[in-house]
Amino acid sequence: MTQSDLSKYNNSWYAPGKNVIICLFWYVINVIFFRSPAVPFSSLKVFLLRMFGAQVGKGVRIKPAVNIKYPWRLTIGNNCWIGENVWIDNLDNVVIGNNCCISQGAMLLCGNHNYKKKTFDLITGKIEMEDGAWISAQAIVCPGVTLKSHSILTVGAIATRDLEPYTIYQGNPAVAIRKRIIADEYILQNDNIEI
């Protein structure tokens, strides 16, 4: 039986999209202003993301201790929330639509390894959140996954495949458990919400 040989691992084909100096400069900015729990100002973070090539809409809120690998591979729509300790490991493009929420401790992982090859080659895949999608706390989104319009990935769930619109997903791997119904405020006042 053939065994893995990580000494032959080679991801020289992969390019982060910017030169080494810009990547190092971003690393320092990320550590000081994003990953630090001491910097609460979303407007400063949005400004810095735009300076490094991210496309960021209006009304975006970014909480402390967020880790973003490459801002030039990030698009965020209007009125989005990114919670504490979110990790956007965007080795590939991450596209976040309007009115999306990524709750605390969630991970968006655009990279993985090919376990079928003894060289354990790097694999990357784009992640997309369509308008109104919600990634709950401590949930994980794997490479190549699309969270379609208004879908929900519940607390601690792991999305390995696309999530259908207006559907709530739970578990590992995440499976559909019910439809998401968005009611008006009058109905919500007399209803118990359960996720």
Side-chain angles (χ1 to χ4, degrees):
M1 184 171 274
T2 304
Q3 297 180 351
S4 296
D5 184 359
L6 297 182
S7 70
K8 304 225 183 300
Y9 176 77
N10 180 357
N11 72 337
S12 60
W13 62 269
Y14 178 78
K18 298 288 181 184
N19 68 40
V20 174
I21 301 298
I22 292 174
C23 289
L24 287 173
F25 192 43
W26 168 252
Y27 179 81
V28 172
I29 295 294
N30 191 32
V31 168
I32 295 170
F33 294 101
F34 286 82
R35 293 178 66 182
S36 169
V39 181
F41 309 110
S42 290
S43 57
L44 174 61
K45 294 174 190 176
V46 167
F47 171 78
L48 291 169
L49 284 173
R50 288 177 180 152
M51 291 295 295
F52 278 88
Q55 297 175 35
V56 184
K58 298 176 185 176
V60 172
R61 301 286 174 251
I62 302 171
K63 295 291 188 174
V66 170
N67 187 11
I68 298 171
K69 182 156 288 206
Y70 299 130
W72 48 89
R73 293 185 178 222
L74 180 62
T75 300
I76 306 173
N78 298 321
N79 307 311
C80 292
W81 301 344
I82 300 176
E84 291 90 354
N85 295 305
V86 165
W87 182 14
I88 300 176
D89 189 27
N90 54 337
L91 293 168
D92 205 316
N93 293 332
V94 169
V95 178
I96 301 167
N98 298 315
N99 302 299
C100 290
C101 180
I102 306 173
S103 294
Q104 60 271 27
M107 298 174 71
L108 282 68
L109 305 176
C110 290
N112 204 341
H113 295 278
N114 188 344
Y115 65 87
K116 294 178 182 177
K117 291 188 145 188
K118 68 180 185 177
T119 52
F120 209 51
D121 295 353
L122 178 66
I123 302 169
T124 64
K126 173 183 176 179
I127 291 175
E128 184 171 359
M129 291 179 73
E130 294 180 358
D131 293 351
W134 175 20
I135 300 170
S136 299
Q138 302 292 320
I140 298 172
V141 180
C142 294
V145 170
T146 296
L147 290 88
K148 295 182 182 173
S149 177
H150 294 83
S151 59
I152 297 175
L153 184 63
T154 62
V155 173
I158 300 178
T160 58
R161 294 190 175 102
D162 292 353
L163 278 59
E164 291 304 311
Y166 289 90
T167 305
I168 300 171
Y169 287 79
Q170 185 176 53
N172 175 15
V175 295
I177 58 169
R178 66 180 164 274
K179 294 305 265 180
R180 178 182 185 183
I181 299 168
I182 300 177
D184 65 30
E185 290 183 34
Y186 176 77
I187 293 171
L188 290 178
Q189 290 174 1
N190 300 310
D191 192 14
N192 292 327
I193 303 295
E194 144 184 348
I195 294 181

